[in-house]
């Protein structure tokens, strides 16, 4: 069997990694020809398959031989790279991680990542003070622009600082509309409130810590093989608010980045969660770029809290409160009662 090479580019780095592997179930060009699959389409799919099978965090749970055969069945008479798209979609669906997806090449001259990047002048949260309590309502946010992420982090910290100066009795953070995106600006802004050195850990499919995120003196970093700054605050000062009650509201649409941010708060003695279980996809992602600029956003790691506890499913709140059964005011009353 011919040696097959594949190229993987990760979202947070520019490092190019060349993979090679042999397998007794990858089709040869001769076998593919019998299915009217061109060498071009076969190589394109095989490169994607090899990287996915190596990096998926569910690697040990999946029969990749069976998944390969099921995916190849979608490539009958495939000639071009584009003809392999149905097979790649079958491959991603077969992972059953509810988080990975395939993104075809961008159109109209857009960059490949701009298709999934949302940037606007708005702030992805609402901040207010009511009944002597600070309230932060988070929204989904995803942008690759570092200056925009910095703007969001500074804005979030400024809102917390104002609450601190107002001497509120506690903070409510509502995650019910936080469906995903990037956790970086939120963790950067929230870190003085969390007031811990380690915020999160990530573990790969070999149960090795792929990297740890830390925070110190206004700077949020990723520590792994290399240390990289992910975010920072323009002005930094500790928050007295970090020692006051912090109530977190979760919902069924709290997912992905929302769950990662939530995990950074878990285990703190002054934090309690209310609501319903989250969606359950607190998995780190890596981007696999293909030859035609299509890419696979792959769930490649599991999020752990600072103590190393991994979260592979829904996060259940400490106090279950079904919004279908109680009013918003009743929910806030339960939170205020706990804060008192």
């Amino acid at each position: 069997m011919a040696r097959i090479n594949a190229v993987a580019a990760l979202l947070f780095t520019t490092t190019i990694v060349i993979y090679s592997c042999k397998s007794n179930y990858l089709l040869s060009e001769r076998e593919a020809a019998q299915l009217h699959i061109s060498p071009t389409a076969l190589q394109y799919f095989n490169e994607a398959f090899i990287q996915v099978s190596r990096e998926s965090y569910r690697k040990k749970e999946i029969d990749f031989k069976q998944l390969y055969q099921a995916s190849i069945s979608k490539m009958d008479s495939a000639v071009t790279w584009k003809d392999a798209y149905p097979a790649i979609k079958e491959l991603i669906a077969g992972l059953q991680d509810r988080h990975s997806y395939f993104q075809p090449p961008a159109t109209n001259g857009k960059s490949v990542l701009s298709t999934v990047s949302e940037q606007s002048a708005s702030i992805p949260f609402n901040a207010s003070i009511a009944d002597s309590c600070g309230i932060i309502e988070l929204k989904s946010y995803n942008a690759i622009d570092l200056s925009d992420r910095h703007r969001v982090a500074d804005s979030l910290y400024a809102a917390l600082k104002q609450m601190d100066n107002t001497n509120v009795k506690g903070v409510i953070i509502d995650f019910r509309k936080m469906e995903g995106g990037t956790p970086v600006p939120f963790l950067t802004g929230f870190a003085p409130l969390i007031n811990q050195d380690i915020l999160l850990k990530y573990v790969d499919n070999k149960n090795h810590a792929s990297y740890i995120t830390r925070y110190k003196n206004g700077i949020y970093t990723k520590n792994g093989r290399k240390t990289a700054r992910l975010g920072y605050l323009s002005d930094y000062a500790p928050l007295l608010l970090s020692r006051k009650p912090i109530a977190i509201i979760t919902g069924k649409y709290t997912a992905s980045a929302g769950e990662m941010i939530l995990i950074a708060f878990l285990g703190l003695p002054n934090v309690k969660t209310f609501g319903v279980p989250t969606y359950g996809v607190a998995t780190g992602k890596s981007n696999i770029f293909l030859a035609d600029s299509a890419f696979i956003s792959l769930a490649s790691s599991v999020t752990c809290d600072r103590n190393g506890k991994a979260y592979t499913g829904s996060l259940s709140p400490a106090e279950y409160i079904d919004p279908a059964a109680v009013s918003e005011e009743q929910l806030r009353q339960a939170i205020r009662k706990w804060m008192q």
Side-chain angles (χ1 to χ4, degrees):
M1 180 68 66
R3 186 177 293 271
I4 302 172
N5 295 322
V7 179
L10 299 181
L11 180 61
F12 292 120
T13 72
T14 56
T15 304
I16 295 178
V17 181
I18 304 297
Y19 290 125
S20 64
C21 85
K22 288 184 177 181
S23 173
N24 58 6
Y25 61 81
L26 296 186
L27 290 185
S28 66
E29 290 187 5
R30 178 179 297 178
E31 292 167 330
Q34 297 174 358
L35 299 174
H36 309 290
I37 301 173
S38 74
T40 298
L42 178 66
Q43 182 182 14
Y44 182 88
F45 174 74
N46 278 351
E47 288 177 351
F49 178 85
I50 290 169
Q51 293 176 77
V52 168
S53 63
R54 283 177 179 268
E55 296 184 33
S56 170
Y57 88 92
R58 298 198 66 228
K59 176 180 179 179
K60 296 178 181 178
E61 306 168 34
I62 296 173
D63 183 341
F64 277 103
K65 178 178 180 180
Q66 184 179 47
L67 184 53
Y68 183 84
Q69 294 169 346
S71 301
I72 283 292
S73 69
K74 304 293 183 180
M75 286 186 63
D76 187 31
S77 302
V79 177
T80 66
W81 291 334
K82 187 175 182 179
D83 294 335
Y85 291 175
I88 293 177
K89 291 178 181 178
E90 181 73 15
L91 168 63
I92 300 305
L95 299 177
Q96 296 182 359
D97 59 32
R98 301 195 302 161
H99 206 188
S100 301
Y101 65 88
F102 171 68
Q103 180 70 41
T107 57
N108 302 323
K110 293 183 178 180
S111 69
V112 64
L113 288 179
S114 68
T115 59
V116 293
S117 176
E118 301 168 3
Q119 179 180 345
S120 67
S122 63
I123 295 294
F125 64 87
N126 294 323
S128 60
I129 298 176
D131 298 325
S132 299
C133 185
I135 302 171
I136 302 284
E137 298 174 296
L138 301 181
K139 302 176 184 178
S140 298
Y141 168 82
N142 193 31
I144 60 175
D145 185 83
L146 297 181
S147 63
D148 198 61
R149 292 184 181 185
H150 175 59
R151 175 184 67 92
V152 172
D154 271 351
S155 299
L156 179 56
Y157 174 74
L160 293 171
K161 189 62 178 174
Q162 182 180 4
M163 293 174 186
D164 206 42
N165 294 337
T166 308
N167 196 28
V168 297
K169 62 186 179 184
V171 181
I172 299 173
I173 308 174
D174 191 338
F175 281 80
R176 286 175 290 180
K177 294 181 180 179
M178 184 39 160
E179 300 180 25
T182 174
V184 170
F186 299 99
L187 285 172
T188 305
F190 275 136
L193 181 64
I194 298 170
N195 195 26
Q196 296 285 320
D197 171 34
I198 296 176
L199 297 181
L200 295 172
K201 297 180 180 181
Y202 294 87
V203 175
D204 62 21
N205 57 24
K206 296 180 181 178
N207 206 32
H208 296 157
S210 53
Y211 62 88
I212 299 172
T213 59
R214 298 177 180 269
Y215 186 89
K216 186 176 181 179
N217 297 334
I219 301 175
Y220 176 45
T221 59
K222 178 183 78 170
N223 298 92
R225 293 180 180 177
K226 295 182 179 180
T227 298
R229 187 180 74 174
L230 299 178
Y232 69 99
L233 297 174
S234 298
D235 296 305
Y236 165 76
L239 296 172
L240 294 175
L241 202 56
S242 66
R243 298 196 293 268
K244 296 182 179 180
I246 301 171
I248 291 177
I249 305 175
T250 63
K252 62 181 180 179
Y253 298 117
T254 305
S256 187
E259 291 169 304
M260 294 177 189
I261 302 164
L262 170 59
I263 291 169
F265 281 93
L266 297 183
L268 300 181
N270 58 327
V271 170
K272 184 175 180 178
T273 52
F274 300 78
V276 299
T278 64
Y279 186 71
V281 289
T283 43
K285 306 288 284 292
S286 59
N287 282 359
I288 298 171
F289 293 92
L290 305 179
D292 60 348
S293 293
F295 71 91
I296 297 168
S297 182
L298 181 70
S300 56
S301 61
V302 175
T303 306
C304 302
D305 61 24
R306 62 185 55 82
N307 296 317
K309 179 182 177 180
Y311 293 84
T312 57
S314 298
L315 284 73
S316 297
E319 186 168 338
Y320 181 87
I321 299 179
D322 187 351
V326 302
S327 67
E328 189 70 17
E329 178 55 30
Q330 288 173 314
L331 171 61
R332 296 296 171 92
Q333 284 178 358
I335 292 173
R336 287 194 291 267
K337 181 180 180 180
W338 169 73
M339 284 187 171
Q340 292 170 357

